[in-house]
Amino acid sequence: MKFTAIISTLALASFTLAQTPQNAIVTFDTFYDMTLGFLGDTACAILIQKLGVSAFDQLPNFPFIGGAPAIQAENSTFCGTCWELAFVDSIFVSAMDQGPGEFRISLEAMNALTDNQAVSLGKVVATATQVGVSACGLGL
Ligand SMILES: *[C@@H]1O[C@H](CO)[C@@H](O)[C@H](O)[C@H]1NC(C)=O
């Protein structure tokens, strides 16, 4: 049945894109606030080819960018994935570097996540959910 096939395709798509939320440590690194930061200096240099940009501020979601624990090797398939992080507020972050055991995002993004408490809190345990890349504006 055509109708059934469409429904199961949609169910599969939403399963693929809306993963189960997990607790994750989130901290900041002002490296990711640098407009002229160079993707070639991250674990995701592959994004230069995939996206055709090289400066951090050319990423559609800048400065909501950073390292993610899912990226454990250079040019990981998780490079360019989009994550919803929720703490006080909810933000969408483009994963473009490795984050050993934690998300390391820009100070500006962490301030948005924590209602401007990034510096005083340092690290928080937030909820992280991988979402579709369109939420981060990435055309991958
Ligand atoms: C990652 O991708 C970049 C750009 O394509 C390449 O220069 C680099 O050698 C790659 N690194 C690894 C470990 O494959």
Side-chain angles (χ1 to χ4, degrees):
M1 301 290 280
K2 199 170 191 176
F3 187 67
T4 314
I6 290 170
I7 295 290
S8 38
T9 305
L10 287 175
L12 186 64
S14 58
F15 176 76
T16 309
L17 297 179
Q19 309 282 350
T20 313
Q22 293 182 334
N23 285 343
I25 298 169
V26 181
T27 188
F28 68 89
D29 187 331
T30 54
F31 175 66
Y32 303 112
D33 290 274
M34 296 195 307
T35 51
L36 294 180
F38 177 48
L39 279 171
D41 293 335
T42 73
C44 293
I46 193 78
L47 289 179
I48 298 174
Q49 286 168 8
K50 284 193 173 172
L51 299 171
V53 303
S54 58
F56 290 176
D57 70 350
Q58 292 174 309
L59 293 168
N61 213 25
F62 179 83
F64 289 75
I65 63 171
I71 299 174
Q72 292 171 354
E74 253 183 77
N75 301 332
S76 157
T77 54
F78 283 98
C79 286
T81 52
C82 183
W83 298 77
E84 182 173 14
L85 302 180
F87 187 65
V88 179
D89 286 306
S90 177
I91 61 172
F92 294 103
V93 171
S94 301
M96 38 59 80
D97 204 356
Q98 55 195 350
E102 59 191 21
F103 283 87
R104 284 190 188 164
I105 62 177
S106 70
L107 176 58
E108 187 171 336
M110 187 157 170
N111 270 331
L113 179 71
T114 60
D115 193 19
N116 290 312
Q117 300 175 88
V119 172
S120 58
L121 294 173
K123 282 188 184 199
V124 300
V125 178
T127 305
T129 313
Q130 189 183 353
V131 297
V133 287
S134 59
C136 287
L138 289 170
L140 281 171

